[in-house]
Amino acid sequence: MGHRVECVVNIAAPVELVWNTIQDPTRRTEWDERVVSERLLKPGGPGKGNSFRITYSVFGFRFWGEMEYIVWNPPRRSAIRALRFSRLSMMQSAGGSWHLETQPDGSTTYSTTVNISLQGGPLAPLLERIFVGGYFRLITERSLHNVKRLIEADYARQSGLAEQGIAG
């Protein structure tokens, strides 16, 4: 069955900047506290049908998952599903989606939904409640606040350069 985590943050920046930042694999480790590395597995950029390997660190243990983009609708929505995991991963299945919505004040609401099922037989629901519903939710919320700070700082810097007439 799995466990679902939903988190939302409002970012004082245009939707295109938010999209470009959260979808840039080279910037993921700047804001996502769960991620050690992310790299595309096929040539080209992120997009429907492309896949990537993401390495996580949880309680000091590293494991990876190979994910595939199944929805790609810039700059509003993307979604992924897991194709496979490293041998040390406790994950059985995973998927997620990102939704961006422009607000009347020009800010962007960024919401993410993640569904994770863990291995563990009859103990899996308890493990999911503790690790996915507790720890993973906490780290996801912290990561969304990190990306908010990062993007708002980038936007302020870009806006300041534009006001000075300097291309950024």
Side-chain angles (χ1 to χ4, degrees):
M1 183 170 136
H3 199 87
R4 182 181 182 122
V5 171
E6 296 180 37
C7 297
V8 178
V9 67
N10 193 63
I11 302 173
V15 69
E16 292 82 7
L17 180 59
V18 177
W19 175 269
N20 290 337
T21 303
I22 66 172
Q23 298 297 347
D24 182 346
T26 66
R27 298 201 71 190
R28 185 78 176 259
T29 59
E30 290 181 56
W31 58 270
D32 194 329
E33 294 189 17
R34 304 164 295 193
V35 176
V36 175
S37 68
E38 179 180 337
R39 66 178 174 86
L40 290 171
L41 297 175
K42 299 178 185 175
K48 187 173 181 177
N50 205 341
S51 54
F52 60 96
R53 179 176 281 196
I54 191 163
T55 302
Y56 298 97
S57 179
V58 177
F59 299 120
F61 295 101
R62 288 188 180 194
F63 63 94
W64 55 261
E66 289 185 1
M67 310 293 177
E68 176 186 36
Y69 291 101
I70 56 174
V71 173
W72 190 257
N73 185 15
R76 303 286 177 215
R77 182 171 186 261
S78 65
I80 61 169
R81 69 173 172 190
L83 300 174
R84 65 180 175 212
F85 301 101
S86 61
R87 196 168 35 92
L88 298 176
S89 173
M90 286 293 297
M91 289 191 190
Q92 180 173 315
S93 67
S97 63
W98 298 266
H99 298 267
L100 302 178
E101 184 178 343
T102 301
Q103 299 303 313
D105 65 359
S107 67
T108 302
T109 299
Y110 167 31
S111 59
T112 184
T113 303
V114 180
N115 294 294
I116 297 175
S117 295
L118 297 178
Q119 299 178 36
L123 291 178
L126 175 62
L127 295 172
E128 290 165 358
R129 241 185 341 271
I130 293 168
F131 293 110
V132 179
Y135 177 75
F136 189 84
R137 172 180 292 284
L138 173 68
I139 298 302
T140 301
E141 289 170 349
R142 286 182 11 197
S143 295
L144 262 59
H145 290 289
N146 292 344
V147 80
K148 172 184 172 64
R149 283 191 299 274
L150 176 70
I151 293 170
E152 288 178 350
D154 285 353
Y155 185 56
R157 192 169 32 261
Q158 289 174 11
S159 297
L161 290 174
E163 287 175 10
Q164 296 172 25
I166 302 170

